[in-house]
Amino acid sequence: MEDYQATFMQRHLDTEILCRKESERRVAAMHFGGVTIECLLKAMIFATLAKGATQEWKTDSTHAGHTITNPGHSYMEALKRHNRLKSRIDN
């Protein structure tokens, strides 16, 4: 089980540090910004799981009490797994 919420907070801090004017690390900040958003989306997906479901992705060998598979590094796949958020963005 991964703690995406804690990982999001750590990556957010990394991104802020890299984004400071004196750091001159804008490209790295953009990369970490993407990772930060990915962790946030995954944390949001796990937050919507039904009570009793484990916070891990469903795989062929793991039945976590839900049907949500890992979206990998795809923003669009992550959005598809959080129907309410995708609907709000589409609107």
Side-chain angles (χ1 to χ4, degrees):
M1 178 175 88
E2 295 186 49
D3 186 349
Y4 289 107
Q5 182 65 35
T7 304
F8 160 72
M9 296 303 292
Q10 293 167 351
R11 296 304 163 263
H12 179 65
L13 179 60
D14 293 339
T15 302
E16 282 187 333
I17 290 169
L18 289 169
C19 202
R20 292 180 182 157
K21 288 182 183 179
E22 66 275 4
S23 75
E24 298 181 13
R25 304 295 300 181
R26 298 278 195 262
V27 173
M30 287 187 287
H31 172 75
F32 265 87
V35 173
T36 302
I37 291 169
E38 177 183 338
C39 291
L40 177 60
L41 282 173
K42 288 180 176 180
M44 292 172 74
I45 291 167
F46 276 5
T48 65
L49 294 178
K51 290 183 180 181
T54 57
Q55 291 198 349
E56 59 183 301
W57 304 111
K58 181 193 178 308
T59 65
D60 290 338
S61 60
T62 305
H63 300 288
H66 59 79
T67 59
I68 301 173
T69 57
N70 192 332
H73 300 295
S74 171
Y75 171 76
M76 292 308 296
E77 289 300 316
L79 278 181
K80 287 178 187 176
R81 285 158 178 76
H82 192 299
N83 292 332
R84 192 171 26 183
L85 179 61
K86 183 174 183 336
S87 174
R88 290 178 77 178
I89 289 170
D90 289 345
N91 288 334

